[in-house]
Amino acid sequence: MFFSCLVNFLLGGVLGAMGGLFGIGGGLIAIPVLGYLYGMDQQLAQGTALVMIVPNVVIAFWRYKQRNRIEWSAAAMMCGPAVVATYFSARLATVMDARKLHFCFALFMGLLALYYLWTLLRGKREMQTSLRLGRRYIPLVGLSAGASAGFFSVGGAIVAVPLLTAFFGATQTAAQGLGLAMVTPGTLVALWTYAHAGHVDWTVGIPMALGGVLSISWGVALAHHLPERRLRILFCGALLLLSLWMMIAG
C-alpha cells in the first residue's frame, strides 16, 4: 500500500513538473499514462486525472488573482454557461462507449498539439482577424470551453484563451485571467460528475495530486533556464505521436 502510494506520488510529481515546464501537459499527459500504466478505461482515466488537475487549477487561479486584475463581469458571463456545459458534457462522457471517448480524446490531443506547434513556429506574430465580437457573445466562449473541460477533463482554459484573444481583442494576460476564473468552478463540477458516476480512483488520484502540487513550481523554474521554445516544439511532436498511437492501439 505504501509503495503504491509512493509510486503514484512520484508519478504526480513528474506530471506536475511537465505541466509547469511546458505550460500544458500535466493533466493532458496524465490521462493516456493512467490508461497505459493502470489499464484504466477512458472515463476512469479522465476522472482520476481530474483529482490532480483541480488543485493545480485552484492554486493557479489564486496566484493569478493576487498579481493581476480580473474583469469579474466578463468572467461571470463566461462562468455560468461554462459550468452548465461542463456538467452536461461530463455526464455524456461518463455514459458513452469508452472506445469512442478514447478516440475522441486522441483526436483532440492531436489537434491541440498541431495548434500549439503552429503558434510556436509563427513566433510572436499575433493572430490577425477582422472579426471582433461584442461582449454579448462572451457566453459562447464559456459554452465551448466548458464542453471541452467536461468531455475531455482538460482543455477549458486552452480553448478559452485563443478565442478571447482572437475574437474579442483581449490581451494574453487578460485572457488567461478570464480563462482561470471560468475553469476553476468548472473543474470542480467535472470532478463531482465523474466521481458521482464512479469514474474516479481516489487511491491513485490523491497521491498524484499531492506530487503534482509540490513539483509544478519546479517545472516553471526549470522552464526559465532551458530553451523553452525548442522543448515545447518537441513536446508537441510527442503529443502528436501519442495521439496517433492512441488512435491505432485504441
Side-chain angles (χ1 to χ4, degrees):
M1 180 67 178
F2 173 77
F3 179 75
S4 62
C5 286
L6 179 61
V7 170
N8 294 330
F9 176 83
L10 294 175
L11 177 61
V14 171
L15 294 171
M18 288 179 61
L21 179 61
F22 297 113
I24 58 173
L28 190 66
I29 291 295
I31 293 170
V33 166
L34 288 171
Y36 178 75
L37 292 182
Y38 294 93
M40 295 182 179
D41 62 26
Q42 190 66 25
Q43 284 97 337
L44 185 58
Q46 290 186 185
T48 303
L50 276 167
V51 181
M52 186 185 78
I53 294 168
V54 165
N56 288 335
V57 168
V58 171
I59 291 170
F61 171 67
W62 180 254
R63 288 180 176 172
Y64 188 95
K65 190 174 74 71
Q66 288 178 320
R67 299 182 181 182
N68 299 274
R69 177 180 173 273
I70 293 176
E71 191 178 348
W72 291 107
S73 60
M77 292 174 67
M78 293 170 57
C79 191
V83 168
V84 173
T86 298
Y87 173 73
F88 285 105
S89 60
R91 284 286 302 272
L92 175 62
T94 58
V95 299
M96 74 179 296
D97 180 75
R99 288 182 177 272
K100 291 181 180 179
L101 183 61
H102 179 89
F103 181 83
C104 290
F105 180 84
L107 182 62
F108 171 76
M109 189 163 57
L111 292 174
L112 187 64
L114 287 173
Y115 169 75
Y116 271 92
L117 190 61
W118 172 65
T119 59
L120 287 167
L121 292 176
R122 70 187 176 132
K124 295 184 177 181
R125 290 175 296 171
E126 296 295 330
M127 189 191 321
Q128 298 296 322
T129 175
S130 59
L131 181 61
R132 282 291 184 268
L133 301 178
R135 283 173 60 94
R136 66 181 182 277
Y137 293 105
I138 283 183
L140 296 178
V141 178
L143 283 173
S144 302
S148 171
F151 196 71
F152 298 116
S153 298
V154 294
I158 294 171
V159 169
V161 170
L163 289 177
L164 288 168
T165 55
F167 298 110
F168 294 89
T171 64
Q172 184 69 19
T173 303
Q176 289 174 349
L178 289 172
L180 283 170
M182 174 209 66
V183 80
T184 299
T187 52
L188 293 169
V189 170
L191 176 58
W192 180 88
T193 306
Y194 277 84
H196 184 70
H199 293 307
V200 173
D201 188 335
W202 298 100
T203 61
V204 174
I206 291 176
M208 284 180 58
L210 293 174
V213 166
L214 293 176
S215 67
I216 191 169
S217 296
W218 300 346
V220 173
L222 186 60
H224 290 84
H225 294 87
L226 293 175
E228 184 183 0
R229 184 172 180 274
R230 187 181 305 169
L231 284 172
R232 291 196 179 206
I233 291 175
L234 292 174
F235 179 67
C236 288
L239 280 185
L240 283 173
L241 291 176
L242 188 57
S243 171
L244 291 173
W245 175 77
M246 289 181 69
M247 290 182 188
I248 295 170

